[in-house]
Amino acid sequence: MIKIGGQVLDDEEMLRDVLRRFASLPGKKILVHGGGKHASRMAERLGLKIRLVNGRRVTDAATLQVAQMVYAGLLNTNIVAQLQALQVNALGLTGADGNAIRSVKRPVGEVDFGFVGDVVAVNVAFLQTLLAQNWVPVFCALTHDGHGQILNTNADTIVSELAVALSQRFETELVFTFEKNGVLSDVSDEHSRIPKLTFEQYETLKSNGAFTDGMLPKLENAFRSLRKGVRRVRILHALDLGSLNAEPHPGTILSME
Amino acid sequence: MIKIGGQVLDDEEMLRDVLRRFASLPGKKILVHGGGKHASRMAERLGLKIRLVNGRRVTDAATLQVAQMVYAGLLNTNIVAQLQALQVNALGLTGADGNAIRSVKRPVGEVDFGFVGDVVAVNVAFLQTLLAQNWVPVFCALTHDGHGQILNTNADTIVSELAVALSQRFETELVFTFEKNGVLSDVSDEHSRIPKLTFEQYETLKSNGAFTDGMLPKLENAFRSLRKGVRRVRILHALDLGSLNAEPHPGTILSME
C-alpha cells in the first residue's frame, strides 16, 4: 500500500519519476493519492471560498464537486494513463467502484464538516479479485455512503483503512510518501530524519509540538495501522520508493516498541 | 450496451429514474454516458472559450481537463454511486482503466481537433473478466493512447466500438437512449417516430436532410455496428429502458434490410 501526496502531485516531472519507481516495485500493490492543493486551486478558480473550522476544511456541496473533479477526474485518470504507459495494468477507483470503501457522513457535532465520510467497511473480496488479476488499484480520496452519495475522505485515512483490512488476509506493508525525507525531529531541518520512530518517542515528540498539522494525522493513522495488524509502516520521500530495500533504509520506520 | 446522453444527464430526477430502469435490466450490461452539455457549462464557468470548427468542438488542453473533470470526476462517479445504491455492482471506467479502450490522437488534417482520440483497440478480455464477476462497467467518453495521454472520444463512438468488439464473443444488443421517442421523420414532431428504420430508408432520409447534427453520428455508428456483427441496435427514449421487451416495441429498431 503506497500513498503519494503533498507536493509530489503538484510537480509533473516528479510525479512521473515517482510513478516510474512505483511501476518497478515487485509484488501486489495498491496506490492511493491525495490532491488537496490541486482542489484548493480549482476551488479558487471557480470563485469558491474555502471554509476552515479549527484548521479543518468543511466540504460543502460545491467543494465536494471540486474534490470529485480534481481527484477522480484529473489526477486519478492521468495517473492511471501514465501507469498504463509504464505497463502497469492500473485501474482507477473511488470507494464507490465495486463498493470498495463504504463510509458514513460524519455526524454533526460542534462542527458540521459537510460531505466528509468516515470509513465503515472495506470490500476486501473485491480488492482480492482485482489483485488476483494482477491489476493495480489506484484510489483517490473519495468514498460512498451506499445510498448514492459520494463523500470526501482523507487519503491518509483511506490508505490506512485499506492496509488494515488487507492485513487480515495478506502480509501488508504501508508506505506514506511525500516531499520530505521521512519524519523529521525538526521540520525545518531535512537532516533531522528519525530513522526509527517508536510509539513512545512519537508521544514525547507530539507533546513537545514537534509535528506539523499535516504530519500528525499521518502518524496517528500509521500507528493505528501497526496496532491493527499491518506488518510494517514507513514514511519516506516519494523518490525513495525505488530503494525501499536499500541499506541503510530511507525514511522513517515506525514501530510500536 | 446502453448509452445514455442528451438531456437525461442534465435532469437529476430523470437520471435517477433512468438508472432505476437500467438497474432492473436482466443479463450482463454495460453503461456508457456522455456529458457534453455539462462540460460546456463548466468550461464557461472557468472562462474557457469553446472552439468549433465546422460545427465540431476542438479539444485543447484546457478543454480536455474540463472533459476529464466533468465526465470522469462528476458524472461517472455520481452514476456509479447511485447504481451501487440500487444494488448494481458498478465500476466506473475510462478507456485507460485496465487498458480498456486504446485510441490514437486524430491526425491533423485541415482541422486540428486537438486531444481527440479515434478508437484502435478494445480490450475484450478485460471486459469479459469484469462481466464474469457480475460487475457492471460504466464508461465515460474518455480513452487513452497507451503513452500516458487521455483523449476525448465521442460517447456514441465508444458504445458502438465496445458493442462491435463484444459481439465477437457475446450476443450483443446496442441501445442508444436520449430524450426523444426514437428516430423521428420530423424532428419537431414527437409523434413522427419511425418504429423500424432500414438502411435504405436512412439513406433517403439523410439525403433529404431529415436528421439533426446530433442524430447523424448516432445513426452512422448504429448502422456500422449492425454491419459489424451487433445483433440488434435500437434508439429510444431513456425512460423506455424499462419496457425494452414490450409490444409494440418502443423507439426505433434499425435493420440493414
Side-chain angles (χ1 to χ4, degrees), chain A residues 21-246:
Chain A
R21 286 162 171 77
F22 175 78
S24 69
L25 292 177
K28 311 281 189 200
K29 52 197 172 188
I30 296 178
L31 188 66
V32 179
H33 64 85
K37 282 174 199 160
H38 267 266
S40 299
R41 279 201 303 274
M42 185 56 68
E44 206 171 300
R45 275 185 67 189
L46 288 167
L48 305 176
K49 292 249 172 357
I50 293 171
R51 267 188 62 214
L52 296 171
V53 176
N54 304 334
R56 303 190 71 162
R57 194 185 307 193
V58 173
T59 306
D60 59 15
T63 307
L64 177 68
Q65 283 202 339
V66 171
Q68 290 183 229
M69 294 198 299
V70 171
Y71 301 164
L74 278 187
L75 297 174
N76 195 267
T77 304
N78 286 340
I79 289 171
V80 167
Q82 287 188 45
L83 286 175
Q84 286 287 343
L86 293 164
Q87 314 304 324
V88 174
N89 205 353
L91 199 61
L93 301 167
T94 74
D97 293 310
N99 189 27
I101 311 173
R102 202 156 48 74
S103 62
V104 287
K105 191 166 176 295
R106 187 167 300 164
V108 178
E110 279 178 38
V111 179
D112 181 356
F113 286 104
F115 294 100
V116 169
D118 294 319
V119 175
V120 289
V122 171
N123 188 344
V124 176
F126 172 68
L127 292 173
Q128 212 166 353
T129 306
L130 301 183
L131 294 171
Q133 296 286 338
N134 288 320
W135 296 340
V136 176
V138 178
F139 278 95
C140 63
L142 297 168
T143 55
H144 79 136
D145 72 353
H147 304 291
Q149 180 64 54
I150 294 287
L151 294 168
N152 201 348
T153 300
N154 180 284
D156 288 335
T157 305
I158 286 184
V159 77
S160 303
E161 294 280 358
L162 289 172
V164 168
L166 286 166
S167 69
Q168 316 302 315
R169 302 205 202 165
F170 297 94
E171 197 174 296
T172 306
E173 178 164 354
L174 172 54
V175 182
F176 293 91
T177 78
F178 62 153
E179 67 281 357
K180 300 208 172 285
N181 283 327
V183 181
L184 307 176
S185 55
D186 173 1
V187 73
S188 62
D189 179 6
E190 273 291 323
H191 299 293
S192 68
R193 167 176 79 97
I194 306 171
K196 189 183 164 187
L197 180 67
T198 65
F199 188 67
E200 204 182 316
Q201 287 174 309
Y202 157 71
E203 296 264 89
T204 309
L205 283 163
K206 185 168 88 170
S207 60
N208 294 344
F211 302 127
T212 59
D213 286 351
M215 181 52 83
L216 257 185
K218 226 182 277 297
L219 286 170
E220 270 168 39
N221 276 306
F223 280 110
R224 188 179 151 276
S225 308
L226 269 183
R227 270 196 307 274
K228 292 205 155 192
V230 175
R231 176 65 68 95
R232 186 143 83 148
V233 181
R234 309 165 72 166
I235 299 181
L236 42 81
H237 196 292
L239 290 174
D240 283 332
L241 262 186
S243 48
L244 280 184
N245 296 319

